[in-house]
Coordinates of all heavy atoms in Angstrom, one line a residue:
M7 N 0.8 -1.2 0.0 CA 0.0 0.0 0.0 C 0.9 1.2 0.0 O 1.8 1.4 0.8 CB -0.9 0.0 1.2 CG -1.9 1.1 1.3 SD -3.2 0.9 2.4 CE -2.4 0.6 4.0
E8 N 0.6 2.2 -0.9 CA 1.4 3.4 -1.0 C 0.5 4.6 -0.6 O -0.7 4.7 -0.9 CB 1.8 3.6 -2.4 CG 2.6 4.8 -2.7 CD 3.0 5.0 -4.2 OE1 3.2 4.0 -4.8 OE2 3.1 6.1 -4.6
E9 N 1.1 5.6 0.2 CA 0.3 6.7 0.6 C 1.0 8.0 0.2 O 2.2 8.1 0.3 CB 0.1 6.7 2.1 CG -0.6 5.5 2.6 CD -0.7 5.5 4.1 OE1 0.0 6.2 4.8 OE2 -1.6 4.8 4.6
T10 N 0.3 9.0 -0.2 CA 0.8 10.3 -0.5 C 0.0 11.4 0.2 O -1.2 11.2 0.4 CB 0.8 10.6 -2.0 OG1 -0.5 10.5 -2.5 CG2 1.7 9.7 -2.8
T11 N 0.6 12.5 0.7 CA -0.1 13.5 1.4 C -0.6 14.6 0.5 O 0.2 15.1 -0.3 CB 0.8 14.1 2.5 OG1 1.1 13.1 3.4 CG2 0.0 15.2 3.3
N12 N -1.8 15.0 0.5 CA -2.5 16.1 -0.2 C -3.4 16.8 0.6 O -3.5 16.6 1.8 CB -3.2 15.5 -1.4 CG -2.3 14.8 -2.4 OD1 -1.3 15.4 -2.8 ND2 -2.6 13.6 -2.9
I13 N -4.3 17.7 0.0 CA -5.3 18.3 0.8 C -6.7 17.8 0.3 O -6.8 17.3 -0.8 CB -5.3 19.9 0.6 CG1 -5.3 20.3 -0.8 CG2 -4.0 20.4 1.3 CD1 -5.4 21.8 -1.0
L14 N -7.6 17.8 1.3 CA -8.9 17.2 1.0 C -9.6 17.7 -0.2 O -10.3 17.0 -0.9 CB -9.8 17.3 2.3 CG -11.2 16.7 2.3 CD1 -11.1 15.2 2.1 CD2 -11.9 17.0 3.6
S15 N -9.5 19.0 -0.4 CA -10.2 19.7 -1.5 C -9.8 19.2 -2.9 O -10.4 19.5 -3.9 CB -10.1 21.2 -1.4 OG -8.8 21.6 -1.5
E16 N -8.7 18.5 -3.0 CA -8.2 18.0 -4.3 C -8.8 16.7 -4.8 O -8.6 16.3 -5.9 CB -6.6 17.8 -4.2 CG -5.8 19.1 -4.0 CD -4.4 18.8 -3.8 OE1 -4.0 17.6 -3.5 OE2 -3.6 19.7 -4.0
F17 N -9.6 16.1 -3.9 CA -10.1 14.8 -4.3 C -11.5 14.9 -4.8 O -12.2 15.9 -4.6 CB -10.1 13.9 -3.0 CG -8.7 13.5 -2.7 CD1 -7.9 14.3 -1.9 CD2 -8.2 12.3 -3.2 CE1 -6.6 14.0 -1.6 CE2 -6.9 12.0 -2.9 CZ -6.1 12.8 -2.1
S18 N -11.9 13.9 -5.5 CA -13.2 13.9 -6.2 C -14.2 12.9 -5.5 O -13.8 12.0 -4.8 CB -13.0 13.3 -7.7 OG -12.1 14.2 -8.4
P19 N -15.5 13.1 -5.8 CA -16.5 12.2 -5.2 C -16.2 10.8 -5.5 O -15.8 10.4 -6.6 CB -17.8 12.7 -5.9 CG -17.6 14.1 -6.1 CD -16.1 14.2 -6.5
G20 N -16.4 9.9 -4.5 CA -16.1 8.5 -4.6 C -14.8 8.1 -4.0 O -14.6 6.9 -3.8
E21 N -13.9 9.0 -3.8 CA -12.6 8.7 -3.3 C -12.6 8.7 -1.8 O -13.3 9.5 -1.1 CB -11.5 9.7 -3.8 CG -11.3 9.6 -5.3 CD -10.2 10.5 -5.8 OE1 -10.5 11.7 -5.9 OE2 -9.1 10.0 -6.0
S22 N -11.8 7.8 -1.2 CA -11.6 7.8 0.3 C -10.2 8.1 0.6 O -9.3 7.7 -0.1 CB -12.0 6.4 0.8 OG -13.3 6.1 0.7
V23 N -10.0 8.9 1.8 CA -8.7 9.3 2.2 C -8.6 9.2 3.7 O -9.6 9.0 4.4 CB -8.5 10.8 1.8 CG1 -8.4 10.9 0.3 CG2 -9.5 11.7 2.4
L24 N -7.4 9.3 4.2 CA -7.1 9.2 5.6 C -6.6 10.6 6.1 O -5.7 11.1 5.5 CB -6.0 8.1 5.8 CG -5.7 7.7 7.3 CD1 -6.8 7.0 7.9 CD2 -4.4 6.9 7.3
I25 N -7.3 11.1 7.1 CA -6.9 12.4 7.7 C -5.5 12.3 8.3 O -5.3 11.4 9.1 CB -7.9 12.9 8.7 CG1 -9.3 13.1 8.0 CG2 -7.5 14.2 9.3 CD1 -10.4 13.4 9.0
D26 N -4.6 13.3 7.9 CA -3.2 13.2 8.4 C -2.9 14.4 9.3 O -2.1 14.4 10.2 CB -2.3 13.2 7.2 CG -0.9 13.0 7.6 OD1 -0.7 12.1 8.5 OD2 0.0 13.6 7.0
G27 N -3.6 15.6 9.1 CA -3.3 16.8 9.9 C -4.1 18.0 9.3 O -5.0 17.8 8.5
F28 N -3.6 19.2 9.7 CA -4.3 20.4 9.3 C -3.2 21.5 9.0 O -2.1 21.5 9.6 CB -5.2 20.9 10.4 CG -6.2 19.9 10.9 CD1 -5.9 19.0 11.9 CD2 -7.4 19.7 10.2 CE1 -6.9 18.1 12.3 CE2 -8.3 18.7 10.5 CZ -8.0 17.9 11.6
T29 N -3.6 22.4 8.2 CA -2.7 23.6 7.9 C -3.1 24.8 8.7 O -2.3 25.7 8.8 CB -2.7 23.9 6.4 OG1 -4.1 24.3 6.0 CG2 -2.3 22.7 5.5
D30 N -4.3 24.9 9.2 CA -4.8 26.0 10.0 C -5.1 25.6 11.4 O -6.1 24.9 11.6 CB -6.1 26.6 9.3 CG -6.6 27.8 9.9 OD1 -6.5 27.9 11.2 OD2 -7.1 28.7 9.2
E31 N -4.3 26.0 12.3 CA -4.4 25.5 13.7 C -5.8 25.9 14.3 O -6.4 25.1 15.0 CB -3.3 26.0 14.6 CG -3.3 25.5 16.0 CD -2.1 26.0 16.8 OE1 -1.0 26.2 16.2 OE2 -2.2 26.1 18.0
E32 N -6.2 27.2 14.1 CA -7.4 27.7 14.7 C -8.6 26.9 14.1 O -9.5 26.5 14.9 CB -7.6 29.2 14.4 CG -8.7 29.8 15.2 CD -8.7 31.3 15.0 OE1 -7.5 31.9 15.0 OE2 -9.7 31.9 14.9
L33 N -8.7 26.7 12.8 CA -9.8 26.0 12.2 C -9.8 24.5 12.5 O -10.8 23.8 12.6 CB -9.8 26.2 10.7 CG -11.0 25.6 9.9 CD1 -12.3 26.1 10.4 CD2 -10.8 25.8 8.4
S34 N -8.6 24.0 12.8 CA -8.5 22.5 13.1 C -9.3 22.2 14.4 O -9.8 21.0 14.4 CB -7.0 22.1 13.3 OG -6.4 22.7 14.5
L35 N -9.4 23.1 15.3 CA -10.2 22.8 16.5 C -11.6 22.5 16.2 O -12.3 21.6 16.7 CB -10.0 23.9 17.6 CG -8.6 24.1 18.1 CD1 -8.6 25.3 19.0 CD2 -8.1 22.8 18.8
K36 N -12.2 23.4 15.3 CA -13.5 23.3 14.9 C -13.7 22.0 14.1 O -14.7 21.2 14.3 CB -13.9 24.5 14.0 CG -15.3 24.4 13.4 CD -15.6 25.5 12.5 CE -16.8 25.3 11.7 NZ -17.0 26.3 10.6
L37 N -12.8 21.7 13.2 CA -12.9 20.5 12.4 C -12.8 19.2 13.3 O -13.5 18.3 13.0 CB -11.8 20.5 11.3 CG -12.0 21.6 10.2 CD1 -10.8 21.6 9.4 CD2 -13.3 21.3 9.4
M38 N -11.9 19.2 14.3 CA -11.8 18.0 15.1 C -13.1 17.8 15.9 O -13.5 16.7 16.2 CB -10.6 18.1 16.0 CG -9.3 17.9 15.2 SD -7.8 17.5 16.2 CE -7.5 19.1 16.9
E39 N -13.7 18.9 16.4 CA -15.0 18.8 17.1 C -16.1 18.2 16.2 O -17.0 17.5 16.6 CB -15.5 20.2 17.6 CG -14.7 20.7 18.7 CD -15.1 22.1 19.1 OE1 -15.9 22.7 18.4 OE2 -14.5 22.6 20.1
M40 N -15.9 18.4 14.9 CA -16.9 17.8 13.9 C -16.5 16.4 13.5 O -17.3 15.8 12.8 CB -16.9 18.7 12.6 CG -17.4 20.1 12.9 SD -17.1 21.2 11.5 CE -18.0 20.4 10.1
G41 N -15.4 15.9 14.0 CA -15.1 14.5 13.7 C -13.9 14.3 12.8 O -13.5 13.2 12.5
F42 N -13.3 15.4 12.4 CA -12.1 15.3 11.5 C -10.8 15.0 12.3 O -10.0 15.9 12.5 CB -11.9 16.5 10.6 CG -12.9 16.7 9.6 CD1 -14.2 17.2 9.8 CD2 -12.7 16.2 8.3 CE1 -15.1 17.4 8.8 CE2 -13.6 16.3 7.3 CZ -14.9 16.9 7.5
V43 N -10.7 13.8 12.8 CA -9.6 13.5 13.7 C -8.6 12.7 12.9 O -8.9 11.9 12.1 CB -10.1 12.6 14.9 CG1 -9.0 12.1 15.8 CG2 -11.2 13.3 15.7
P44 N -7.3 13.1 13.1 CA -6.2 12.4 12.3 C -6.3 10.9 12.5 O -6.6 10.4 13.6 CB -4.9 13.0 13.0 CG -5.3 14.4 13.4 CD -6.7 14.2 13.9
G45 N -6.2 10.2 11.4 CA -6.3 8.7 11.4 C -7.7 8.2 11.0 O -7.9 7.0 10.9
T46 N -8.6 9.1 10.9 CA -10.0 8.8 10.5 C -10.1 8.7 9.0 O -9.6 9.6 8.3 CB -11.0 9.8 11.0 OG1 -10.9 9.8 12.5 CG2 -12.4 9.4 10.7
V47 N -10.9 7.8 8.4 CA -11.1 7.7 7.0 C -12.3 8.6 6.6 O -13.3 8.6 7.3 CB -11.4 6.2 6.6 CG1 -11.8 6.1 5.1 CG2 -10.2 5.3 6.9
V48 N -12.1 9.3 5.6 CA -13.2 10.2 5.1 C -13.4 9.9 3.6 O -12.5 9.7 2.8 CB -12.7 11.7 5.1 CG1 -13.7 12.6 4.4 CG2 -12.5 12.1 6.6
K49 N -14.7 9.7 3.3 CA -15.1 9.5 1.9 C -15.8 10.7 1.3 O -16.7 11.3 1.9 CB -16.1 8.3 1.8 CG -16.5 8.0 0.4 CD -17.5 6.8 0.3 CE -17.9 6.7 -1.1 NZ -19.2 6.0 -1.2
I50 N -15.3 11.2 0.2 CA -15.9 12.3 -0.5 C -17.2 11.8 -1.2 O -17.1 11.0 -2.1 CB -14.9 13.0 -1.5 CG1 -13.7 13.6 -0.8 CG2 -15.6 14.1 -2.3 CD1 -12.6 12.7 -0.5
D51 N -18.3 12.3 -0.8 CA -19.6 11.8 -1.3 C -20.0 12.5 -2.6 O -20.3 11.9 -3.6 CB -20.7 11.9 -0.3 CG -20.5 10.9 0.9 OD1 -20.0 9.8 0.6 OD2 -20.8 11.3 2.0
R52 N -20.1 13.8 -2.5 CA -20.5 14.7 -3.6 C -20.1 16.1 -3.4 O -19.7 16.5 -2.3 CB -22.0 14.5 -3.8 CG -22.8 15.0 -2.6 CD -24.3 14.7 -2.9 NE -25.0 14.9 -1.7 CZ -25.3 14.1 -0.7 NH1 -24.7 12.9 -0.8 NH2 -26.0 14.4 0.4
E53 N -20.1 16.9 -4.4 CA -19.9 18.3 -4.3 C -20.9 19.1 -5.1 O -21.5 18.6 -6.1 CB -18.5 18.7 -4.8 CG -18.2 18.3 -6.2 CD -16.7 18.5 -6.6 OE1 -15.8 18.6 -5.7 OE2 -16.4 18.7 -7.8
A54 N -21.1 20.3 -4.7 CA -22.1 21.2 -5.4 C -21.6 21.4 -6.8 O -20.4 21.3 -7.1 CB -22.3 22.5 -4.6
P55 N -22.5 21.8 -7.7 CA -22.2 22.0 -9.1 C -21.0 23.0 -9.4 O -20.2 22.7 -10.3 CB -23.4 22.6 -9.7 CG -24.5 22.1 -8.9 CD -24.0 22.0 -7.5
L56 N -20.8 24.0 -8.5 CA -19.7 24.8 -8.7 C -18.5 24.4 -7.8 O -17.5 25.2 -7.6 CB -20.1 26.3 -8.4 CG -21.1 26.9 -9.4 CD1 -21.5 28.3 -9.0 CD2 -20.6 26.8 -10.8
G57 N -18.6 23.2 -7.1 CA -17.5 22.7 -6.4 C -17.5 23.1 -4.9 O -16.6 22.7 -4.1
C58 N -18.5 23.8 -4.4 CA -18.5 24.2 -3.0 C -20.0 24.3 -2.6 O -20.7 25.0 -3.3 CB -17.8 25.6 -2.8 SG -17.7 26.1 -1.1
P59 N -20.4 23.7 -1.5 CA -19.6 22.9 -0.6 C -19.3 21.5 -1.1 O -19.8 21.0 -2.1 CB -20.5 22.9 0.7 CG -21.9 22.9 0.1 CD -21.8 23.8 -1.1
V60 N -18.6 20.8 -0.2 CA -18.2 19.4 -0.5 C -18.9 18.6 0.7 O -18.8 18.9 1.8 CB -16.7 19.1 -0.5 CG1 -16.4 17.7 -0.6 CG2 -16.1 20.0 -1.5
C61 N -19.6 17.5 0.3 CA -20.2 16.6 1.3 C -19.3 15.4 1.5 O -19.0 14.7 0.5 CB -21.6 16.2 0.9 SG -22.4 15.2 2.1
V62 N -18.9 15.1 2.8 CA -18.1 13.9 3.0 C -18.7 13.1 4.1 O -19.5 13.6 4.9 CB -16.7 14.4 3.5 CG1 -16.0 15.2 2.4 CG2 -16.7 15.1 4.8
T63 N -18.4 11.8 4.1 CA -18.8 10.9 5.2 C -17.5 10.6 6.1 O -16.5 10.3 5.6 CB -19.3 9.5 4.7 OG1 -20.4 9.8 3.9 CG2 -19.7 8.6 5.8
I64 N -17.7 10.9 7.4 CA -16.6 10.7 8.3 C -16.7 9.4 9.0 O -17.7 9.1 9.7 CB -16.6 11.8 9.4 CG1 -16.4 13.2 8.7 CG2 -15.4 11.7 10.4 CD1 -16.6 14.4 9.6
G65 N -15.6 8.6 8.9 CA -15.6 7.3 9.6 C -16.7 6.3 9.3 O -16.9 5.4 10.0
G66 N -17.4 6.6 8.2 CA -18.6 5.7 7.8 C -19.8 6.0 8.7 O -20.8 5.2 8.6
D67 N -19.8 7.0 9.6 CA -20.8 7.2 10.5 C -21.8 8.3 10.1 O -23.0 8.1 10.2 CB -20.3 7.5 11.9 CG -19.5 6.4 12.5 OD1 -19.8 5.2 12.2 OD2 -18.6 6.7 13.3
Y68 N -21.3 9.4 9.7 CA -22.2 10.5 9.4 C -21.6 11.4 8.3 O -20.4 11.4 8.0 CB -22.6 11.3 10.6 CG -21.4 11.9 11.4 CD1 -20.9 13.2 11.1 CD2 -20.7 11.1 12.3 CE1 -19.8 13.7 11.8 CE2 -19.6 11.6 12.9 CZ -19.2 12.9 12.7 OH -18.1 13.4 13.3
Q69 N -22.5 12.3 7.7 CA -22.1 13.2 6.7 C -22.0 14.6 7.2 O -22.7 15.0 8.0 CB -23.1 13.2 5.5 CG -23.1 11.8 4.8 CD -24.1 11.9 3.6 OE1 -25.2 12.4 3.7 NE2 -23.7 11.3 2.5
V70 N -21.0 15.3 6.6 CA -20.7 16.7 6.9 C -20.5 17.5 5.6 O -19.8 16.9 4.7 CB -19.5 16.8 7.9 CG1 -19.1 18.3 8.1 CG2 -19.7 16.1 9.2
S71 N -21.0 18.7 5.6 CA -20.6 19.5 4.4 C -19.6 20.6 4.8 O -19.7 21.1 5.9 CB -21.9 20.2 3.9 OG -22.7 19.3 3.3
L72 N -18.6 20.8 4.0 CA -17.5 21.7 4.2 C -17.4 22.7 3.0 O -17.6 22.3 1.9 CB -16.2 21.0 4.3 CG -15.9 20.2 5.5 CD1 -14.5 19.5 5.3 CD2 -15.9 21.0 6.7
R73 N -17.1 23.9 3.3 CA -16.7 24.8 2.3 C -15.4 24.3 1.6 O -14.6 23.7 2.3 CB -16.4 26.2 2.8 CG -17.7 26.9 3.3 CD -17.3 28.3 3.8 NE -18.5 28.9 4.4 CZ -18.6 29.0 5.8 NH1 -17.7 28.7 6.6 NH2 -19.7 29.6 6.3
K74 N -15.2 24.6 0.4 CA -14.0 24.2 -0.3 C -12.7 24.8 0.5 O -11.7 24.1 0.6 CB -14.0 24.7 -1.7 CG -13.1 24.0 -2.7 CD -13.7 22.7 -3.1 CE -12.9 22.1 -4.3 NZ -13.5 20.9 -4.8
S75 N -12.8 26.0 0.9 CA -11.7 26.6 1.7 C -11.4 25.9 3.0 O -10.2 25.8 3.4 CB -12.0 28.1 1.9 OG -13.2 28.2 2.7
E76 N -12.4 25.4 3.6 CA -12.2 24.6 4.8 C -11.6 23.2 4.5 O -10.6 22.8 5.2 CB -13.5 24.4 5.6 CG -14.1 25.6 6.1 CD -15.6 25.5 6.6 OE1 -16.3 24.6 6.1 OE2 -15.9 26.2 7.5
A77 N -12.0 22.6 3.4 CA -11.5 21.3 3.0 C -10.0 21.5 2.6 O -9.2 20.5 2.7 CB -12.3 20.7 1.8
A78 N -9.6 22.7 2.1 CA -8.3 22.9 1.7 C -7.3 23.0 2.9 O -6.1 23.0 2.7 CB -8.2 24.2 0.9
T79 N -7.8 23.0 4.1 CA -6.9 23.1 5.3 C -6.7 21.7 5.9 O -6.0 21.6 6.9 CB -7.5 24.0 6.4 OG1 -8.7 23.4 6.9 CG2 -7.8 25.4 5.8
V80 N -7.4 20.7 5.4 CA -7.3 19.3 5.9 C -6.2 18.5 5.1 O -6.4 18.3 3.9 CB -8.6 18.6 5.9 CG1 -8.5 17.2 6.4 CG2 -9.7 19.4 6.6
L81 N -5.1 18.1 5.7 CA -4.1 17.3 5.1 C -4.6 15.8 5.1 O -5.0 15.4 6.2 CB -2.8 17.5 5.8 CG -2.2 18.9 5.7 CD1 -0.9 18.9 6.6 CD2 -1.9 19.3 4.3
V82 N -4.5 15.2 4.0 CA -5.0 13.8 3.9 C -4.0 12.9 3.2 O -3.2 13.4 2.4 CB -6.4 13.7 3.3 CG1 -7.4 14.4 4.1 CG2 -6.3 14.2 1.9
K83 N -4.0 11.6 3.4 CA -3.2 10.7 2.6 C -4.2 9.9 1.8 O -5.2 9.3 2.3 CB -2.5 9.8 3.6 CG -1.4 10.4 4.3 CD -0.6 9.5 5.2 CE 0.5 10.2 5.9 NZ 1.3 9.3 6.7
S84 N -3.9 9.9 0.5 CA -4.7 9.1 -0.4 C -4.2 7.6 -0.2 O -3.0 7.4 0.1 CB -4.5 9.5 -1.8 OG -3.1 9.4 -2.2
I85 N -5.1 6.7 -0.3 CA -4.8 5.3 -0.1 C -4.9 4.6 -1.4 O -5.9 4.5 -2.0 CB -5.8 4.7 0.9 CG1 -5.8 5.5 2.3 CG2 -5.5 3.2 1.2 CD1 -6.9 5.1 3.2
I86 N -3.7 4.2 -1.8 CA -3.6 3.5 -3.1 C -3.3 2.0 -2.8 O -2.3 1.7 -2.2 CB -2.6 4.1 -4.0 CG1 -2.9 5.5 -4.2 CG2 -2.5 3.3 -5.3 CD1 -1.7 6.3 -4.9
V87 N -4.2 1.1 -3.2 CA -4.0 -0.3 -2.9 C -3.5 -1.0 -4.1 O -3.8 -0.8 -5.2 CB -5.4 -0.9 -2.4 CG1 -5.1 -2.4 -2.1 CG2 -5.9 -0.2 -1.2

């Protein structure tokens, strides 16, 4: 299995990624309260026609919508099997 680090907003619907960290310390607290905890798998479910917001499933449990700018602060590892 190979992993590379990117930002969440770069991925397309249907892809799953692993949360690795954050680029914005202040926003990271809000995101962690919403369930964006490092080590959690996130699946990109869909995005609005203009690309914002993005709807994701966190840990297979529930869905959350994020602005594209918020998703751009989440560092993730793509999982290539």
Side-chain angles (χ1 to χ4, degrees):
M7 182 165 57
E8 181 182 329
E9 297 178 344
T10 57
T11 301
N12 293 314
I13 56 174
L14 181 60
S15 61
E16 295 176 338
F17 289 86
S18 301
E21 295 183 281
S22 293
V23 294
L24 189 68
I25 297 173
D26 190 42
F28 305 94
T29 61
D30 184 325
E31 185 176 331
E32 190 172 323
L33 184 58
S34 70
L35 296 175
K36 174 185 170 190
L37 293 170
M38 285 195 288
E39 288 175 353
M40 295 169 60
F42 288 86
V43 178
T46 303
V47 174
V48 172
K49 180 183 177 201
I50 295 85
D51 293 323
R52 59 187 172 273
E53 60 185 22
L56 297 177
C58 185
V60 177
C61 181
V62 300
T63 299
I64 300 173
D67 294 332
Y68 57 95
Q69 293 181 318
V70 174
S71 291
L72 290 176
R73 293 182 185 104
K74 201 81 167 183
S75 61
E76 294 169 331
T79 68
V80 181
L81 298 174
V82 296
K83 290 183 177 181
S84 59
I85 303 169
I86 302 168
V87 180

